[in-house]
Amino acid sequence: MRKVMKFGGTSVGSGEAMSRTADIIMSYDCQRAVVVSAMSGVTNSLLEMMGEGGREVPEYLDWLRQKHHDAARGNISNELMPEYLEQLEHRISGLGHLVHLYRQDEDRVMYQDALASWGERLSSLTLSFILRTRGADSLALTSEEIGIVASGPPGNGSAVLPATESNLRRTLSPLLNEGKVPIITGYYGADLKGRPLTFGRGGSDYSAAVVANGVDADVVEIWTDVDGFMSADPRVVKKARTIAEMDYGEAAELAYFGAKVLHPRTIEPAKRKGVAVLVKNTFNPSGQGTRIHGLDRNSKELLRSVALKTGLSIVKIYSSELVYQPDLVAKILEAISADGTTIYAVSTSLSTLAVVVPTGSVPEACNRLKGFRDQVEAVKVKEDAALICAVGDGMLESCGVSAKIFSAVADVGANVELISEGASDIALNFMVGGSKAVDVVKRLHELYIGD
Ligand code: ADP
Ligand code: ASP
Ligand code: MG
């Protein structure tokens, strides 16, 4: 049995949480590679440090040093403490040096991902010393050291799976065979020049799935702060239920369209190798959790889970040329996504193309649309829209499903702004105004999932 265990920000967020996490890791004796996030709040601070007008750099560095000291205190033995402190200091000063370069240089983008990745370098070091204190043969390893290869735009990279697999066979598999417990930095890989490239916020789940793919693990466990994958975000729907088993497809749709419990691309590397994904609660380890795998379900539940993605905009492009130029839609979509902007939904009519993108990407998208001056008559943007992803069995097969879903939308007085239906067999996606989105999710849950 070989597994990859990923612990999120809250699971390593304090000395107490790190101690629980260490208990969980020590409670197994199979081969295990551990992937960690930064301590909660750390990545946000690193990003804040890169902005203008925040605290002075030494203040951030002191805060980081103190936070990790506090987590180490009482968890790392007196014998190991000096070695830990020396390595921690080495990493903190490495960060200081990098910020200095970042502030001096015109081409700041080059350093952004490296800086953002620093929290994982500190948390993995701390957890590995805690495990050594408990007698495990543990070592901290960075994504560069084991060879997680990444490509794509800054802040939104993807792993190059074949290259990563061949590296991990060489770097990581032998360590697992020897019974070592590697603690690996989540969130990023290294591009072909060896520069850190992050996988987007929450990217450590994806890192874990990539590692599981590379070492042919039997399971990848995502240890977080809720009991599993639930029928809705429990912060939005208090009575959300934990789902015992899910198919890869269901989890992938929900994660992509807003269920924050998994990074949007976590399922893909796991599914490729048939690795099961188990979502578990660090704060309730005896709970069953959710098992995500290739599942052939017979039961037909109208609604299994609802996800919500806010911060989106609908860009409507008006062009009478759409009828005459069959390739215009493709060209416009290519222009909008040229910088790596994710397009969440597309809908077309005779002379209109509606495209859903993150609100932050709208100015750049509109800028690039200026290149279509001769073909496009107008561009209108509806900001503050939210996408709701409803996942259930046989969304396409059963009659009246949409009617039922949209009656819930009408119940709360929301207006459906755009529908994407039929592309997936199990999901129905639609947009509503941001202010009504939570009410829609609550109503759908109340009607079709219940208490
Ligand atoms: P971690 O730091 O462990 O990666 P995250 O905060 O990224 O944890 O993800 C866990 C959070 O995801 C939960 O606290 C919960 O609020 C949110 N969440 C959103 N949708 C769901 C869902 N369908 N099931 C479970 N949790 C969800
Ligand atoms: N630390 C990163 C973030 O906050 C990655 C992660 O937590 O998965 O986004
Ligand atoms: Mg997360």
Side-chain angles (χ1 to χ4, degrees), residues 6-11 37 40 202 204-205 222-236 241 254 258-262 279 305-307:
K6 177 262 171 176
F7 292 88
T10 34
S11 303
S37 295
S40 51
S204 303
D205 304 324
I222 306 294
W223 289 85
T224 183
D225 58 2
V226 284
D227 274 335
F229 210 119
M230 305 178 85
S231 52
D233 185 342
R235 286 183 213 187
V236 174
R241 295 187 204 150
L254 290 158
K260 194 194 163 207
V261 64
L262 289 181
V279 183
S305 185
V306 200

PDB file of all heavy atoms in Angstrom, residues 6-11 37 40 202 204-205 222-236 241 254 258-262 279 305-307, ligand 1:
ATOM      1  N   LYS A   6      -2.236  14.633   1.805  1.00  0.00           N
ATOM      2  CA  LYS A   6      -2.078  16.097   1.688  1.00  0.00           C
ATOM      3  C   LYS A   6      -2.778  16.787   2.862  1.00  0.00           C
ATOM      4  O   LYS A   6      -3.931  16.491   3.162  1.00  0.00           O
ATOM      5  CB  LYS A   6      -2.665  16.576   0.356  1.00  0.00           C
ATOM      6  CG  LYS A   6      -2.600  18.089   0.182  1.00  0.00           C
ATOM      7  CD  LYS A   6      -3.913  18.770   0.524  1.00  0.00           C
ATOM      8  CE  LYS A   6      -3.818  20.263   0.577  1.00  0.00           C
ATOM      9  NZ  LYS A   6      -5.104  20.913   0.822  1.00  0.00           N
ATOM     10  N   PHE A   7      -2.062  17.685   3.506  1.00  0.00           N
ATOM     11  CA  PHE A   7      -2.647  18.431   4.622  1.00  0.00           C
ATOM     12  C   PHE A   7      -2.730  19.908   4.256  1.00  0.00           C
ATOM     13  O   PHE A   7      -1.737  20.525   3.858  1.00  0.00           O
ATOM     14  CB  PHE A   7      -1.816  18.213   5.896  1.00  0.00           C
ATOM     15  CG  PHE A   7      -1.914  16.792   6.393  1.00  0.00           C
ATOM     16  CD1 PHE A   7      -1.037  15.831   5.933  1.00  0.00           C
ATOM     17  CD2 PHE A   7      -2.922  16.413   7.266  1.00  0.00           C
ATOM     18  CE1 PHE A   7      -1.155  14.507   6.344  1.00  0.00           C
ATOM     19  CE2 PHE A   7      -3.052  15.094   7.689  1.00  0.00           C
ATOM     20  CZ  PHE A   7      -2.167  14.143   7.221  1.00  0.00           C
ATOM     21  N   GLY A   8      -3.932  20.456   4.383  1.00  0.00           N
ATOM     22  CA  GLY A   8      -4.187  21.849   3.992  1.00  0.00           C
ATOM     23  C   GLY A   8      -3.775  22.853   5.058  1.00  0.00           C
ATOM     24  O   GLY A   8      -3.280  22.480   6.137  1.00  0.00           O
ATOM     25  N   GLY A   9      -3.989  24.126   4.751  1.00  0.00           N
ATOM     26  CA  GLY A   9      -3.533  25.236   5.597  1.00  0.00           C
ATOM     27  C   GLY A   9      -3.980  25.148   7.047  1.00  0.00           C
ATOM     28  O   GLY A   9      -3.180  25.368   7.962  1.00  0.00           O
ATOM     29  N   THR A  10      -5.251  24.794   7.285  1.00  0.00           N
ATOM     30  CA  THR A  10      -5.709  24.723   8.690  1.00  0.00           C
ATOM     31  C   THR A  10      -5.138  23.493   9.381  1.00  0.00           C
ATOM     32  O   THR A  10      -4.933  23.517  10.597  1.00  0.00           O
ATOM     33  CB  THR A  10      -7.251  24.692   8.803  1.00  0.00           C
ATOM     34  OG1 THR A  10      -7.782  23.979   7.697  1.00  0.00           O
ATOM     35  CG2 THR A  10      -7.846  26.071   8.855  1.00  0.00           C
ATOM     36  N   SER A  11      -4.851  22.438   8.607  1.00  0.00           N
ATOM     37  CA  SER A  11      -4.310  21.207   9.210  1.00  0.00           C
ATOM     38  C   SER A  11      -2.864  21.381   9.660  1.00  0.00           C
ATOM     39  O   SER A  11      -2.344  20.554  10.391  1.00  0.00           O
ATOM     40  CB  SER A  11      -4.389  20.045   8.210  1.00  0.00           C
ATOM     41  OG  SER A  11      -5.713  19.844   7.783  1.00  0.00           O
ATOM     42  N   SER A  37       0.407  22.221   2.533  1.00  0.00           N
ATOM     43  CA  SER A  37       0.168  23.639   2.210  1.00  0.00           C
ATOM     44  C   SER A  37       0.990  24.493   3.166  1.00  0.00           C
ATOM     45  O   SER A  37       1.514  23.997   4.159  1.00  0.00           O
ATOM     46  CB  SER A  37      -1.295  24.000   2.457  1.00  0.00           C
ATOM     47  OG  SER A  37      -2.138  23.322   1.605  1.00  0.00           O
ATOM     48  N   SER A  40      -2.009  28.310   7.525  1.00  0.00           N
ATOM     49  CA  SER A  40      -3.074  29.198   7.049  1.00  0.00           C
ATOM     50  C   SER A  40      -2.717  30.662   7.291  1.00  0.00           C
ATOM     51  O   SER A  40      -2.150  31.020   8.327  1.00  0.00           O
ATOM     52  CB  SER A  40      -4.436  28.850   7.664  1.00  0.00           C
ATOM     53  OG  SER A  40      -4.320  28.772   9.033  1.00  0.00           O
ATOM     54  N   GLY A 202      -4.980  27.348  -3.652  1.00  0.00           N
ATOM     55  CA  GLY A 202      -5.460  26.019  -3.255  1.00  0.00           C
ATOM     56  C   GLY A 202      -4.769  24.887  -4.001  1.00  0.00           C
ATOM     57  O   GLY A 202      -5.212  23.740  -3.970  1.00  0.00           O
ATOM     58  N   SER A 204      -2.282  22.962  -3.595  1.00  0.00           N
ATOM     59  CA  SER A 204      -1.616  21.799  -2.981  1.00  0.00           C
ATOM     60  C   SER A 204      -2.404  20.504  -3.184  1.00  0.00           C
ATOM     61  O   SER A 204      -1.815  19.422  -3.212  1.00  0.00           O
ATOM     62  CB  SER A 204      -1.406  22.033  -1.483  1.00  0.00           C
ATOM     63  OG  SER A 204      -0.668  23.205  -1.291  1.00  0.00           O
ATOM     64  N   ASP A 205      -3.729  20.598  -3.304  1.00  0.00           N
ATOM     65  CA  ASP A 205      -4.522  19.388  -3.590  1.00  0.00           C
ATOM     66  C   ASP A 205      -4.058  18.801  -4.923  1.00  0.00           C
ATOM     67  O   ASP A 205      -3.876  17.593  -5.068  1.00  0.00           O
ATOM     68  CB  ASP A 205      -6.024  19.715  -3.747  1.00  0.00           C
ATOM     69  CG  ASP A 205      -6.612  20.423  -2.553  1.00  0.00           C
ATOM     70  OD1 ASP A 205      -6.205  20.115  -1.431  1.00  0.00           O
ATOM     71  OD2 ASP A 205      -7.497  21.287  -2.754  1.00  0.00           O
ATOM     72  N   ILE A 222      -6.872  13.727   0.884  1.00  0.00           N
ATOM     73  CA  ILE A 222      -6.903  15.177   1.059  1.00  0.00           C
ATOM     74  C   ILE A 222      -7.439  15.442   2.463  1.00  0.00           C
ATOM     75  O   ILE A 222      -8.644  15.291   2.714  1.00  0.00           O
ATOM     76  CB  ILE A 222      -7.808  15.841  -0.010  1.00  0.00           C
ATOM     77  CG1 ILE A 222      -7.399  15.439  -1.440  1.00  0.00           C
ATOM     78  CG2 ILE A 222      -7.845  17.366   0.168  1.00  0.00           C
ATOM     79  CD1 ILE A 222      -6.036  15.920  -1.902  1.00  0.00           C
ATOM     80  N   TRP A 223      -6.538  15.774   3.395  1.00  0.00           N
ATOM     81  CA  TRP A 223      -6.933  16.024   4.785  1.00  0.00           C
ATOM     82  C   TRP A 223      -7.223  17.510   4.947  1.00  0.00           C
ATOM     83  O   TRP A 223      -6.362  18.356   4.700  1.00  0.00           O
ATOM     84  CB  TRP A 223      -5.825  15.580   5.730  1.00  0.00           C
ATOM     85  CG  TRP A 223      -5.686  14.088   5.802  1.00  0.00           C
ATOM     86  CD1 TRP A 223      -4.972  13.292   4.958  1.00  0.00           C
ATOM     87  CD2 TRP A 223      -6.313  13.210   6.750  1.00  0.00           C
ATOM     88  NE1 TRP A 223      -5.105  11.972   5.327  1.00  0.00           N
ATOM     89  CE2 TRP A 223      -5.914  11.887   6.429  1.00  0.00           C
ATOM     90  CE3 TRP A 223      -7.164  13.403   7.850  1.00  0.00           C
ATOM     91  CZ2 TRP A 223      -6.333  10.775   7.158  1.00  0.00           C
ATOM     92  CZ3 TRP A 223      -7.570  12.290   8.581  1.00  0.00           C
ATOM     93  CH2 TRP A 223      -7.169  11.001   8.229  1.00  0.00           C
ATOM     94  N   THR A 224      -8.463  17.825   5.362  1.00  0.00           N
ATOM     95  CA  THR A 224      -8.867  19.229   5.423  1.00  0.00           C
ATOM     96  C   THR A 224      -9.631  19.507   6.716  1.00  0.00           C
ATOM     97  O   THR A 224      -9.447  18.790   7.706  1.00  0.00           O
ATOM     98  CB  THR A 224      -9.649  19.578   4.125  1.00  0.00           C
ATOM     99  OG1 THR A 224      -9.985  20.945   4.155  1.00  0.00           O
ATOM    100  CG2 THR A 224     -10.888  18.720   3.926  1.00  0.00           C
ATOM    101  N   ASP A 225     -10.489  20.537   6.706  1.00  0.00           N
ATOM    102  CA  ASP A 225     -11.158  20.929   7.953  1.00  0.00           C
ATOM    103  C   ASP A 225     -12.655  20.638   7.949  1.00  0.00           C
ATOM    104  O   ASP A 225     -13.395  21.168   8.748  1.00  0.00           O
ATOM    105  CB  ASP A 225     -10.887  22.419   8.243  1.00  0.00           C
ATOM    106  CG  ASP A 225     -11.359  23.326   7.118  1.00  0.00           C
ATOM    107  OD1 ASP A 225     -11.923  22.813   6.126  1.00  0.00           O
ATOM    108  OD2 ASP A 225     -11.168  24.552   7.228  1.00  0.00           O
ATOM    109  N   VAL A 226     -13.127  19.824   7.009  1.00  0.00           N
ATOM    110  CA  VAL A 226     -14.533  19.391   6.985  1.00  0.00           C
ATOM    111  C   VAL A 226     -14.561  17.873   6.782  1.00  0.00           C
ATOM    112  O   VAL A 226     -13.565  17.287   6.367  1.00  0.00           O
ATOM    113  CB  VAL A 226     -15.353  20.083   5.864  1.00  0.00           C
ATOM    114  CG1 VAL A 226     -15.707  21.507   6.215  1.00  0.00           C
ATOM    115  CG2 VAL A 226     -14.620  20.016   4.525  1.00  0.00           C
ATOM    116  N   ASP A 227     -15.744  17.271   7.036  1.00  0.00           N
ATOM    117  CA  ASP A 227     -15.825  15.805   7.081  1.00  0.00           C
ATOM    118  C   ASP A 227     -15.696  15.102   5.737  1.00  0.00           C
ATOM    119  O   ASP A 227     -15.695  13.881   5.679  1.00  0.00           O
ATOM    120  CB  ASP A 227     -17.136  15.387   7.758  1.00  0.00           C
ATOM    121  CG  ASP A 227     -16.957  15.331   9.275  1.00  0.00           C
ATOM    122  OD1 ASP A 227     -15.810  15.137   9.712  1.00  0.00           O
ATOM    123  OD2 ASP A 227     -17.951  15.498  10.002  1.00  0.00           O
ATOM    124  N   GLY A 228     -15.640  15.849   4.654  1.00  0.00           N
ATOM    125  CA  GLY A 228     -15.513  15.223   3.335  1.00  0.00           C
ATOM    126  C   GLY A 228     -16.080  16.147   2.290  1.00  0.00           C
ATOM    127  O   GLY A 228     -16.278  17.347   2.540  1.00  0.00           O
ATOM    128  N   PHE A 229     -16.313  15.605   1.107  1.00  0.00           N
ATOM    129  CA  PHE A 229     -16.980  16.370   0.055  1.00  0.00           C
ATOM    130  C   PHE A 229     -18.446  16.400   0.427  1.00  0.00           C
ATOM    131  O   PHE A 229     -19.041  15.359   0.675  1.00  0.00           O
ATOM    132  CB  PHE A 229     -16.763  15.699  -1.307  1.00  0.00           C
ATOM    133  CG  PHE A 229     -16.755  16.662  -2.449  1.00  0.00           C
ATOM    134  CD1 PHE A 229     -15.642  16.798  -3.263  1.00  0.00           C
ATOM    135  CD2 PHE A 229     -17.869  17.456  -2.702  1.00  0.00           C
ATOM    136  CE1 PHE A 229     -15.631  17.711  -4.317  1.00  0.00           C
ATOM    137  CE2 PHE A 229     -17.860  18.369  -3.749  1.00  0.00           C
ATOM    138  CZ  PHE A 229     -16.742  18.492  -4.558  1.00  0.00           C
ATOM    139  N   MET A 230     -19.035  17.576   0.479  1.00  0.00           N
ATOM    140  CA  MET A 230     -20.400  17.691   1.004  1.00  0.00           C
ATOM    141  C   MET A 230     -21.379  18.129  -0.080  1.00  0.00           C
ATOM    142  O   MET A 230     -20.993  18.521  -1.176  1.00  0.00           O
ATOM    143  CB  MET A 230     -20.418  18.650   2.193  1.00  0.00           C
ATOM    144  CG  MET A 230     -19.419  18.214   3.250  1.00  0.00           C
ATOM    145  SD  MET A 230     -19.316  19.295   4.650  1.00  0.00           S
ATOM    146  CE  MET A 230     -20.641  18.664   5.623  1.00  0.00           C
ATOM    147  N   SER A 231     -22.660  18.061   0.281  1.00  0.00           N
ATOM    148  CA  SER A 231     -23.707  18.380  -0.690  1.00  0.00           C
ATOM    149  C   SER A 231     -23.740  19.879  -1.020  1.00  0.00           C
ATOM    150  O   SER A 231     -24.431  20.289  -1.953  1.00  0.00           O
ATOM    151  CB  SER A 231     -25.057  17.914  -0.153  1.00  0.00           C
ATOM    152  OG  SER A 231     -25.242  18.419   1.158  1.00  0.00           O
ATOM    153  N   ALA A 232     -23.043  20.678  -0.248  1.00  0.00           N
ATOM    154  CA  ALA A 232     -22.859  22.119  -0.532  1.00  0.00           C
ATOM    155  C   ALA A 232     -21.764  22.602   0.406  1.00  0.00           C
ATOM    156  O   ALA A 232     -21.363  21.861   1.321  1.00  0.00           O
ATOM    157  CB  ALA A 232     -24.151  22.900  -0.267  1.00  0.00           C
ATOM    158  N   ASP A 233     -21.283  23.811   0.188  1.00  0.00           N
ATOM    159  CA  ASP A 233     -20.308  24.382   1.116  1.00  0.00           C
ATOM    160  C   ASP A 233     -20.988  24.545   2.484  1.00  0.00           C
ATOM    161  O   ASP A 233     -21.970  25.286   2.599  1.00  0.00           O
ATOM    162  CB  ASP A 233     -19.841  25.750   0.579  1.00  0.00           C
ATOM    163  CG  ASP A 233     -18.734  26.354   1.439  1.00  0.00           C
ATOM    164  OD1 ASP A 233     -18.559  25.918   2.597  1.00  0.00           O
ATOM    165  OD2 ASP A 233     -18.053  27.272   0.943  1.00  0.00           O
ATOM    166  N   PRO A 234     -20.480  23.872   3.529  1.00  0.00           N
ATOM    167  CA  PRO A 234     -21.143  23.974   4.839  1.00  0.00           C
ATOM    168  C   PRO A 234     -21.145  25.393   5.410  1.00  0.00           C
ATOM    169  O   PRO A 234     -21.906  25.701   6.311  1.00  0.00           O
ATOM    170  CB  PRO A 234     -20.318  23.023   5.723  1.00  0.00           C
ATOM    171  CG  PRO A 234     -19.015  22.840   5.020  1.00  0.00           C
ATOM    172  CD  PRO A 234     -19.293  23.007   3.559  1.00  0.00           C
ATOM    173  N   ARG A 235     -20.300  26.255   4.849  1.00  0.00           N
ATOM    174  CA  ARG A 235     -20.341  27.663   5.301  1.00  0.00           C
ATOM    175  C   ARG A 235     -21.554  28.374   4.729  1.00  0.00           C
ATOM    176  O   ARG A 235     -22.015  29.384   5.253  1.00  0.00           O
ATOM    177  CB  ARG A 235     -19.086  28.411   4.859  1.00  0.00           C
ATOM    178  CG  ARG A 235     -17.912  28.008   5.681  1.00  0.00           C
ATOM    179  CD  ARG A 235     -16.687  28.796   5.306  1.00  0.00           C
ATOM    180  NE  ARG A 235     -15.539  27.922   5.494  1.00  0.00           N
ATOM    181  CZ  ARG A 235     -14.295  28.287   5.391  1.00  0.00           C
ATOM    182  NH1 ARG A 235     -14.006  29.526   5.078  1.00  0.00           N
ATOM    183  NH2 ARG A 235     -13.326  27.432   5.587  1.00  0.00           N
ATOM    184  N   VAL A 236     -22.091  27.838   3.622  1.00  0.00           N
ATOM    185  CA  VAL A 236     -23.264  28.451   2.982  1.00  0.00           C
ATOM    186  C   VAL A 236     -24.534  27.733   3.440  1.00  0.00           C
ATOM    187  O   VAL A 236     -25.531  28.365   3.788  1.00  0.00           O
ATOM    188  CB  VAL A 236     -23.144  28.367   1.437  1.00  0.00           C
ATOM    189  CG1 VAL A 236     -24.414  28.851   0.753  1.00  0.00           C
ATOM    190  CG2 VAL A 236     -21.936  29.173   0.965  1.00  0.00           C
ATOM    191  N   ARG A 241     -24.627  17.822   3.813  1.00  0.00           N
ATOM    192  CA  ARG A 241     -24.273  16.463   4.243  1.00  0.00           C
ATOM    193  C   ARG A 241     -22.982  16.002   3.590  1.00  0.00           C
ATOM    194  O   ARG A 241     -22.707  16.356   2.445  1.00  0.00           O
ATOM    195  CB  ARG A 241     -25.324  15.472   3.736  1.00  0.00           C
ATOM    196  CG  ARG A 241     -26.654  15.634   4.294  1.00  0.00           C
ATOM    197  CD  ARG A 241     -27.441  14.431   3.779  1.00  0.00           C
ATOM    198  NE  ARG A 241     -28.845  14.743   3.782  1.00  0.00           N
ATOM    199  CZ  ARG A 241     -29.701  14.225   2.938  1.00  0.00           C
ATOM    200  NH1 ARG A 241     -29.291  13.414   1.982  1.00  0.00           N
ATOM    201  NH2 ARG A 241     -30.973  14.532   3.030  1.00  0.00           N
ATOM    202  N   LEU A 254     -17.821  19.718  -9.838  1.00  0.00           N
ATOM    203  CA  LEU A 254     -18.093  20.584  -8.688  1.00  0.00           C
ATOM    204  C   LEU A 254     -16.858  21.382  -8.284  1.00  0.00           C
ATOM    205  O   LEU A 254     -16.941  22.565  -7.954  1.00  0.00           O
ATOM    206  CB  LEU A 254     -18.591  19.743  -7.506  1.00  0.00           C
ATOM    207  CG  LEU A 254     -19.998  19.168  -7.697  1.00  0.00           C
ATOM    208  CD1 LEU A 254     -20.213  17.955  -6.807  1.00  0.00           C
ATOM    209  CD2 LEU A 254     -21.072  20.233  -7.417  1.00  0.00           C
ATOM    210  N   GLY A 258     -16.438  25.627  -8.417  1.00  0.00           N
ATOM    211  CA  GLY A 258     -16.545  26.377  -7.172  1.00  0.00           C
ATOM    212  C   GLY A 258     -16.420  25.635  -5.863  1.00  0.00           C
ATOM    213  O   GLY A 258     -16.258  26.289  -4.833  1.00  0.00           O
ATOM    214  N   ALA A 259     -16.520  24.291  -5.817  1.00  0.00           N
ATOM    215  CA  ALA A 259     -16.411  23.619  -4.510  1.00  0.00           C
ATOM    216  C   ALA A 259     -14.955  23.666  -4.051  1.00  0.00           C
ATOM    217  O   ALA A 259     -14.107  22.892  -4.497  1.00  0.00           O
ATOM    218  CB  ALA A 259     -16.906  22.176  -4.604  1.00  0.00           C
ATOM    219  N   LYS A 260     -14.687  24.577  -3.143  1.00  0.00           N
ATOM    220  CA  LYS A 260     -13.302  24.905  -2.773  1.00  0.00           C
ATOM    221  C   LYS A 260     -12.573  23.749  -2.078  1.00  0.00           C
ATOM    222  O   LYS A 260     -11.353  23.778  -1.942  1.00  0.00           O
ATOM    223  CB  LYS A 260     -13.364  26.125  -1.843  1.00  0.00           C
ATOM    224  CG  LYS A 260     -12.065  26.816  -1.624  1.00  0.00           C
ATOM    225  CD  LYS A 260     -12.151  27.771  -0.440  1.00  0.00           C
ATOM    226  CE  LYS A 260     -10.772  28.152   0.041  1.00  0.00           C
ATOM    227  NZ  LYS A 260     -10.787  28.496   1.470  1.00  0.00           N
ATOM    228  N   VAL A 261     -13.332  22.750  -1.654  1.00  0.00           N
ATOM    229  CA  VAL A 261     -12.714  21.643  -0.918  1.00  0.00           C
ATOM    230  C   VAL A 261     -11.624  20.943  -1.745  1.00  0.00           C
ATOM    231  O   VAL A 261     -10.688  20.381  -1.182  1.00  0.00           O
ATOM    232  CB  VAL A 261     -13.801  20.666  -0.409  1.00  0.00           C
ATOM    233  CG1 VAL A 261     -14.555  19.998  -1.542  1.00  0.00           C
ATOM    234  CG2 VAL A 261     -13.238  19.628   0.536  1.00  0.00           C
ATOM    235  N   LEU A 262     -11.729  20.993  -3.055  1.00  0.00           N
ATOM    236  CA  LEU A 262     -10.672  20.467  -3.931  1.00  0.00           C
ATOM    237  C   LEU A 262     -10.274  21.525  -4.948  1.00  0.00           C
ATOM    238  O   LEU A 262     -11.139  22.202  -5.517  1.00  0.00           O
ATOM    239  CB  LEU A 262     -11.174  19.243  -4.713  1.00  0.00           C
ATOM    240  CG  LEU A 262     -11.408  17.939  -3.961  1.00  0.00           C
ATOM    241  CD1 LEU A 262     -11.877  16.856  -4.929  1.00  0.00           C
ATOM    242  CD2 LEU A 262     -10.149  17.481  -3.240  1.00  0.00           C
ATOM    243  N   VAL A 279     -11.308  12.231   0.750  1.00  0.00           N
ATOM    244  CA  VAL A 279     -11.313  13.532   1.436  1.00  0.00           C
ATOM    245  C   VAL A 279     -11.626  13.270   2.910  1.00  0.00           C
ATOM    246  O   VAL A 279     -12.650  12.661   3.234  1.00  0.00           O
ATOM    247  CB  VAL A 279     -12.364  14.482   0.825  1.00  0.00           C
ATOM    248  CG1 VAL A 279     -12.311  15.848   1.509  1.00  0.00           C
ATOM    249  CG2 VAL A 279     -12.152  14.631  -0.679  1.00  0.00           C
ATOM    250  N   SER A 305     -25.113  17.479  -5.205  1.00  0.00           N
ATOM    251  CA  SER A 305     -24.330  18.537  -4.580  1.00  0.00           C
ATOM    252  C   SER A 305     -24.424  19.812  -5.432  1.00  0.00           C
ATOM    253  O   SER A 305     -24.620  19.732  -6.650  1.00  0.00           O
ATOM    254  CB  SER A 305     -22.869  18.081  -4.468  1.00  0.00           C
ATOM    255  OG  SER A 305     -22.100  19.022  -3.768  1.00  0.00           O
ATOM    256  N   VAL A 306     -24.305  20.948  -4.775  1.00  0.00           N
ATOM    257  CA  VAL A 306     -24.372  22.240  -5.474  1.00  0.00           C
ATOM    258  C   VAL A 306     -23.114  23.048  -5.165  1.00  0.00           C
ATOM    259  O   VAL A 306     -22.733  23.159  -4.000  1.00  0.00           O
ATOM    260  CB  VAL A 306     -25.553  23.110  -4.974  1.00  0.00           C
ATOM    261  CG1 VAL A 306     -25.902  24.183  -5.989  1.00  0.00           C
ATOM    262  CG2 VAL A 306     -26.743  22.288  -4.627  1.00  0.00           C
ATOM    263  N   ALA A 307     -22.500  23.579  -6.193  1.00  0.00           N
ATOM    264  CA  ALA A 307     -21.329  24.433  -5.971  1.00  0.00           C
ATOM    265  C   ALA A 307     -21.634  25.845  -6.449  1.00  0.00           C
ATOM    266  O   ALA A 307     -22.497  26.046  -7.317  1.00  0.00           O
ATOM    267  CB  ALA A 307     -20.124  23.878  -6.729  1.00  0.00           C
TER     268      ALA A 307
HETATM  269  P1  ADP B   1      -7.545  23.343   2.969  1.00  0.00           P
HETATM  270  O1  ADP B   1      -6.853  24.493   3.588  1.00  0.00           O
HETATM  271  O2  ADP B   1      -7.542  22.106   3.803  1.00  0.00           O
HETATM  272  O3  ADP B   1      -7.109  23.090   1.563  1.00  0.00           O
HETATM  273  P2  ADP B   1      -9.888  24.722   1.988  1.00  0.00           P
HETATM  274  O4  ADP B   1     -10.326  25.898   2.797  1.00  0.00           O
HETATM  275  O5  ADP B   1      -9.160  24.979   0.724  1.00  0.00           O
HETATM  276  O6  ADP B   1      -9.079  23.741   2.942  1.00  0.00           O
HETATM  277  O7  ADP B   1     -11.155  23.805   1.611  1.00  0.00           O
HETATM  278  C1  ADP B   1     -12.013  23.369   2.638  1.00  0.00           C
HETATM  279  C2  ADP B   1     -13.238  24.267   2.660  1.00  0.00           C
HETATM  280  O8  ADP B   1     -13.953  24.091   1.449  1.00  0.00           O
HETATM  281  C3  ADP B   1     -14.259  23.914   3.723  1.00  0.00           C
HETATM  282  O9  ADP B   1     -13.941  24.533   4.939  1.00  0.00           O
HETATM  283  C4  ADP B   1     -15.563  24.405   3.117  1.00  0.00           C
HETATM  284  O10 ADP B   1     -15.958  25.644   3.654  1.00  0.00           O
HETATM  285  C5  ADP B   1     -15.257  24.614   1.640  1.00  0.00           C
HETATM  286  N1  ADP B   1     -16.187  23.892   0.742  1.00  0.00           N
HETATM  287  C6  ADP B   1     -16.774  24.443  -0.367  1.00  0.00           C
HETATM  288  N2  ADP B   1     -17.570  23.566  -0.973  1.00  0.00           N
HETATM  289  C7  ADP B   1     -17.508  22.410  -0.254  1.00  0.00           C
HETATM  290  C8  ADP B   1     -18.107  21.121  -0.398  1.00  0.00           C
HETATM  291  N3  ADP B   1     -18.933  20.826  -1.389  1.00  0.00           N
HETATM  292  N4  ADP B   1     -17.798  20.184   0.520  1.00  0.00           N
HETATM  293  C9  ADP B   1     -16.953  20.444   1.537  1.00  0.00           C
HETATM  294  N5  ADP B   1     -16.364  21.657   1.730  1.00  0.00           N
HETATM  295  C10 ADP B   1     -16.620  22.626   0.844  1.00  0.00           C
END
